[in-house]
Amino acid sequence: MNQWSHTAEKKPGFWDIFTSQPHRMFFSSGVIFAMVFMTFFALQFKGVIGVTYEPKLFHFYSFAFIIFSQFFIGFLFTTFPRFLGVPELPRTANIRVFILYQAGALLFVVSQFISVYLTLLSVVLTFAAQFIAFAIMYQIYRFSPVPQKDEPGWMLKAFGLGLVAHLLFIAYLLIYLFLPEVGWTVFIYEAAKNIAVYLYLFFMAFAVGQRMIPFFTTAAQFGYQPNKTPGMLKTVFYLLIAKTLFATAGLHLVEALADAALAGFIGRELVKWKLPVFKVSAMLWVMYLSLFWIPLGFGLSAVENVLWWSLGTAYDPLERLSLHILMVGFLTTILIGFGSRVTLGHSGRPPVADRYTVFVFLFVQFVVFFRAASSVLFFLLPQAYYHAILFTAGLWVLMFVLWSRKYLIYLLR
């Protein structure tokens, strides 16, 4: 009896605790790879290490499909069942996706020193992990007893479009390796990049944010109700489709019109919500701040495209300023805010930002500023651009080191 009692009372080990909640696994991996891949990119950009293909392709793929995707999966595997009124996912489902993702991500790193053929294998593994995650969420959505499933449905559409972008990237690699004479590689890569950035990464984060941020605000401010426009997500989605099509086709002037429509519509929407910016804690205002980067990002994209069209250049004259405003200003800020809140709440701590966390939030905005400054230098002072990019990459790594000093420890304990 004592032997059985001892076995029953045995404390769970690290692996048991680490895999007990999906956000622990995927947030931890996302943060670690955010530091690893940015370091690799900086070393590639500086020419310290060789790579199997251009550093910008490595940068795009690693961030879109390994880093940010794992944050999405960690959050959605935690909250999707709650949104749709079904039991939590079994631990084995979380572990299966997690292990497959880590295998693909690690092989992606190793392949950079060996062969692009190995890179292709790593991309297929990562796609398989993302596909299984989508299939799991689709089954939750399909069998949910909840009558109102519009918002989870938009999140599922965004995740599915991430798979489409992922497939296009695989097609790009296949043509690059086996059919280089076809000549479609640039178009396929541009389609993969634009779908991934706007219809997957941005729209997923926006769909989640427009649901959760007002919810958190209502919990903090009794009686608050956002005045959302009916069909808001549908309008944003169709405008993003237009932008994606125009961007892929290189139609800069009409893309600028889509940008202006997105900036105006989302900016007007945020004003209508009447968020109590000066009445909430830092954990909420950093999420508000992330939202207000959106109209600025699309507004700058309109300016970029008009400049691009008028100057007639073959490259973006502001070196993707608007893209990084959206991906660092909006997406990274909201991920840091959500990640901090979820980590505190699920570790039994009150979801309140202390002074150190506020410093980290402000440091994120410091990184946004320097990334934006790098793009402006590309236009005004090209010789300083190279050093500015390396400096910004260092700031990015330091940002996640600072966050990890507190929050990664909570996740791993």
Side-chain angles (χ1 to χ4, degrees):
M1 178 63 71
N2 289 337
Q3 181 182 358
W4 286 104
S5 299
H6 176 72
T7 303
E9 294 173 3
K10 183 180 178 181
K11 291 184 178 180
F14 169 78
W15 180 250
D16 298 315
I17 296 172
F18 181 64
T19 58
S20 62
Q21 297 172 320
H23 77 278
R24 285 182 183 270
M25 297 183 283
F26 291 102
F27 284 10
S28 299
S29 178
V31 167
I32 291 168
F33 277 118
M35 295 184 282
V36 169
F37 282 128
M38 184 58 85
T39 302
F40 263 70
F41 171 71
L43 293 174
Q44 291 168 8
F45 193 76
K46 192 173 175 58
V48 175
I49 59 175
V51 291
T52 55
Y53 51 83
E54 188 182 355
K56 285 187 177 181
L57 302 184
F58 173 90
H59 184 57
F60 158 68
Y61 183 85
S62 60
F63 274 72
F65 299 115
I66 296 178
I67 296 170
F68 290 141
S69 289
Q70 290 202 82
F71 281 110
F72 288 160
I73 293 172
F75 181 80
L76 291 174
F77 272 18
T78 302
T79 59
F80 219 59
R82 300 179 187 182
F83 290 165
L84 293 166
V86 301
E88 290 184 2
L89 290 175
R91 184 165 163 264
T92 52
N94 300 327
I95 293 174
R96 182 169 68 248
V97 175
F98 177 76
I99 289 178
L100 193 54
Y101 234 116
Q102 305 323 299
L106 290 171
L107 187 59
F108 186 76
V109 175
V110 173
S111 71
Q112 300 305 305
F113 302 99
I114 301 175
S115 168
V116 71
Y117 294 98
L118 201 59
T119 300
L120 179 61
L121 175 59
S122 72
V123 168
V124 170
L125 286 175
T126 309
F127 174 81
Q130 190 182 3
F131 180 82
I132 293 171
F134 174 81
I136 289 170
M137 288 187 285
Y138 175 74
Q139 290 301 311
I140 293 172
Y141 180 84
R142 182 183 175 190
F143 294 106
S144 166
V146 175
Q148 182 56 259
K149 299 191 286 187
D150 285 353
E151 289 179 335
W154 284 114
M155 296 174 199
L156 195 61
K157 286 184 180 72
F159 203 87
L161 284 163
L163 287 174
V164 172
H166 210 151
L167 269 178
L168 285 171
F169 189 85
I170 293 173
Y172 160 78
L173 276 183
L174 287 170
I175 294 173
Y176 173 80
L177 286 172
F178 302 111
L179 297 168
E181 70 280 359
V182 169
W184 297 346
T185 52
V186 173
F187 177 80
I188 292 174
Y189 171 72
E190 285 298 315
K193 181 183 67 178
N194 289 321
I195 292 172
V197 168
Y198 300 112
L199 294 172
Y200 173 45
L201 298 178
F202 172 78
F203 189 63
M204 173 67 83
F206 183 72
V208 172
Q210 66 83 39
R211 177 185 176 111
M212 298 305 298
I213 293 174
F215 173 77
F216 292 150
T217 304
T218 300
Q221 293 287 315
F222 180 75
Y224 171 79
Q225 288 295 330
N227 181 26
K228 292 184 183 179
T229 300
M232 176 192 64
L233 284 177
K234 182 184 290 188
T235 301
V236 172
F237 182 71
Y238 286 132
L239 286 173
L240 288 170
I241 287 178
K243 175 175 174 57
T244 301
L245 290 173
F246 298 147
T248 303
L251 302 173
H252 303 302
L253 200 56
V254 285
E255 185 188 350
L257 296 177
D259 286 325
L262 281 161
F265 180 78
I266 295 176
R268 175 176 171 271
E269 190 68 20
L270 295 179
V271 171
K272 282 180 62 180
W273 290 5
K274 295 181 180 178
L275 295 167
V277 177
F278 301 107
K279 299 179 182 179
V280 296
S281 66
M283 195 65 78
L284 266 176
W285 67 245
V286 74
M287 297 183 195
Y288 295 170
L289 182 59
S290 71
L291 292 175
F292 285 99
W293 281 113
I294 298 173
L296 177 61
F298 284 115
L300 286 171
S301 184
V303 173
E304 276 180 349
N305 277 295
V306 170
L307 274 175
W308 207 337
W309 171 78
S310 62
L311 295 175
T313 61
Y315 55 86
D316 182 354
L318 291 178
E319 207 282 308
R320 300 295 181 185
L321 169 61
S322 62
L323 174 65
H324 288 94
I325 289 293
L326 291 171
M327 293 296 102
V328 185
F330 167 59
L331 184 55
T332 304
T333 300
I334 201 170
L335 287 178
I336 291 288
F338 269 77
S340 302
R341 184 183 176 94
V342 171
T343 301
L344 289 173
H346 284 266
S347 62
R349 297 171 174 85
V352 177
D354 58 11
R355 288 184 179 180
Y356 182 80
T357 303
V358 172
F359 169 73
V360 173
F361 290 164
L362 293 174
F363 193 84
V364 175
Q365 307 316 300
F366 186 63
V367 176
V368 180
F369 170 79
F370 270 95
R371 185 58 189 86
S374 300
S375 293
V376 174
L377 282 175
F378 181 79
F379 184 66
L380 299 177
L381 197 64
Q383 59 269 32
Y385 169 75
Y386 171 82
H387 301 289
I389 286 293
L390 291 177
F391 181 68
T392 307
L395 289 177
W396 170 277
V397 174
L398 179 58
M399 173 182 71
F400 277 102
V401 168
L402 293 171
W403 190 86
S404 300
R405 181 175 174 268
K406 179 174 183 176
Y407 289 94
L408 184 59
I409 293 171
Y410 288 163
L411 289 170
L412 295 177
R413 280 178 177 172

